[in-house]
Amino acid sequence: MVQLAQEGAENPLIPPIPELVIGLIAFVIVFGFLAKKLLPNINKVLEERREAIEGGIEKADAAKTEAESVLEQYKAQLAEARHEAARLRQEATEQGTAIIQEMKAEGQRQREEIIAAGHAQIEADRKAAAAALRQDVGKLATDLAGKLVGESLEDHARQSRTIDRFLDELEAKAEVSR
């Protein structure tokens, strides 16, 4: 080793100075070229990618916000539709109740009319029966009185007065006994 050092041998780890200078100049030229041409393109592509990603995130946020807005509108419309349906059901129920009440009232009115007509018919029939009975009783009484007396009681005015007086007495006795 000592012998190699004395002969002026070169160290393999340290390159010669001219090669070192040429390598350094070549490195600076290549680095300068890369810095001037390649680095701006790389930065431009990276910036575009970053903007695309951020734009995508912003678009996704905007789409999410819009979707939430549409969902809220849909929920509001659905709630409004449900409210409207409930209101219509309530209104239909009220109308049904009103119609039922009207029908009941109409039925009650018709029932009262039928009952009143029936009472009027019964009263008219009773009066007709009473008049017919009065006439028949009067005729029978006149015939019976004529047979008892032995002569005919054909005088209609006297006959009517006698019959009416007799029937009035019977009615007075009947009312007193009630």
Side-chain angles (χ1 to χ4, degrees), residues 123 126-135 137-138 162-178:
E123 185 62 28
R126 188 188 66 77
K127 285 182 181 179
L133 183 63
R134 189 179 274 252
Q135 193 176 27
V137 167
T162 305
I163 292 170
D164 287 339
R165 190 180 52 227
F166 175 72
L167 290 176
D168 288 339
E169 287 174 9
L170 282 178
E171 285 178 4
K173 285 180 183 178
E175 285 184 17
V176 168
S177 65
R178 285 185 194 170

Side-chain angles (χ1 to χ4, degrees), residues 15-114:
I17 299 284
E19 282 183 22
L20 192 58
V21 171
I22 291 173
L24 189 59
I25 291 172
F27 178 74
V28 170
I29 290 172
V30 170
F31 185 75
F33 174 74
L34 288 177
K36 280 277 194 193
K37 295 286 182 186
L38 195 57
L39 194 57
N41 288 338
I42 292 173
N43 283 338
K44 182 178 153 188
V45 168
L46 288 175
E47 185 64 28
E48 287 174 358
R49 182 178 280 173
R50 185 183 61 76
E51 288 176 3
I53 291 172
E54 288 177 357
I57 291 172
E58 289 174 2
K59 286 179 185 177
D61 287 342
K64 181 181 175 185
T65 304
E66 184 178 342
E68 288 174 353
S69 172
V70 169
L71 179 63
E72 289 301 319
Q73 289 176 353
Y74 171 73
K75 286 181 180 178
Q77 288 175 349
L78 184 61
E80 184 178 327
R82 285 182 180 157
H83 178 69
E84 182 68 18
R87 186 188 63 79
L88 290 175
R89 268 194 310 271
Q90 179 65 27
E91 189 175 298
T93 302
E94 290 172 0
Q95 287 177 352
T97 304
I99 289 171
I100 289 171
Q101 292 299 326
E102 289 176 11
M103 296 304 269
K104 282 183 180 178
E106 178 64 21
Q108 185 70 21
R109 186 190 60 79
Q110 288 178 354
R111 179 179 157 264
E112 295 297 326
E113 286 178 1
I114 290 171

